[in-house]
Amino acid sequence: MRQIRRDISTTEKDTSGWVSLIAEVAEDMWHAYNLIAEKDYVKASTMRKVQNETATGSSTSHRVHTTVTIQVEAIDFDTTACHLRLKGKNVAENKFIKMGAYHTIDLELNRSFTIQKASWDVVALERLDLACDPTKSADVGAVIMQEGLANVCLVTPSMTTVVLRVEVSIPRKRRGNCTQHDKAL
């Protein structure tokens, strides 16, 4: 998970604040599921079906891409698809959604979302740091090599992440002269 911005108060009396994140891999949805609790505020981009009524009485509907802030009332997580769905009331003024109207946000990979909490506890902050830094939870570092290609990976209990990929072109063997090929290897 990539952290875009973070504004969390660190005083003893006030631990409120927000963090903007982007889920990059499926496991990040699991971390988001464990970070988000009921009564938290989540701001994310979503699609909304809007109906317009003309003067003649006919109505048309179309889908609109909008940003919504909801107060979370229900959290659904599909473990097989790593899909996170948040349901709640709209708490921010929006052109397409009335205040207090219910809406569902589907958090998606590679889309930013913001979590705002009235109080960030120590467990949530540790989980946030763990989710944003895969090197903290890595069990093993591995280098996988073959001719002209090397991958540096971090192996965690639940996934393997490719940290670096190095590619080098290797010249072909020529008939009678393979010194360039041998030098490249």
Side-chain angles (χ1 to χ4, degrees):
M1 187 169 317
R2 188 167 30 134
Q3 180 176 300
I4 300 170
R5 273 199 180 143
R6 181 180 192 160
D7 184 20
I8 300 173
S9 178
T10 56
T11 61
E12 287 184 28
K13 293 181 180 180
D14 182 26
T15 58
S16 64
W18 55 270
V19 63
S20 291
L21 303 166
I22 294 179
E24 295 177 320
V25 292
E27 185 181 348
D28 292 342
M29 287 299 175
W30 182 80
H31 287 298
Y33 170 70
N34 287 302
L35 280 172
I36 298 170
E38 290 183 10
K39 299 195 177 174
D40 288 348
Y41 297 98
V42 176
K43 180 180 180 180
S45 178
T46 185
M47 294 293 286
R48 180 78 172 186
K49 185 177 179 182
V50 178
Q51 292 185 343
N52 295 332
E53 191 170 317
T54 61
T56 60
S58 64
S59 63
T60 60
S61 64
H62 60 280
R63 293 183 139 319
V64 180
H65 201 65
T66 185
T67 302
V68 177
T69 304
I70 63 167
Q71 184 175 17
V72 178
E73 293 182 1
I75 306 167
D76 295 325
F77 182 65
D78 182 9
T79 55
T80 57
C82 288
H83 182 77
L84 186 59
R85 175 172 278 178
L86 308 171
K87 299 174 187 173
K89 287 185 180 180
N90 185 28
V91 294
E93 191 69 30
N94 192 310
K95 180 180 176 182
F96 303 107
I97 305 170
K98 295 179 183 177
M99 289 281 290
Y102 280 90
H103 191 75
T104 302
I105 295 177
D106 292 324
L107 293 185
E108 299 174 3
L109 292 176
N110 299 316
R111 288 240 173 117
S112 66
F113 60 95
T114 303
I115 304 170
Q116 181 178 354
K117 290 179 173 279
S119 176
W120 286 85
D121 59 355
V122 176
V123 176
L125 290 172
E126 286 177 0
R127 178 166 301 281
L128 183 62
D129 292 337
L130 179 73
C132 293
D133 188 9
T135 59
K136 287 186 177 180
S137 65
D139 291 337
V140 177
V143 178
I144 302 144
M145 296 188 306
Q146 67 182 38
E147 285 188 16
L149 177 66
N151 290 314
V152 179
C153 303
L154 290 175
V155 181
T156 64
S158 57
M159 69 177 206
T160 301
T161 307
V162 177
V163 177
L164 180 66
R165 182 183 181 114
V166 179
E167 290 185 61
V168 176
S169 62
I170 297 179
R172 294 183 183 175
K173 287 184 180 181
R174 303 276 185 218
R175 190 178 298 167
N177 184 11
C178 61
T179 57
Q180 293 296 330
H181 178 76
D182 292 339
K183 284 182 185 177
L185 290 177

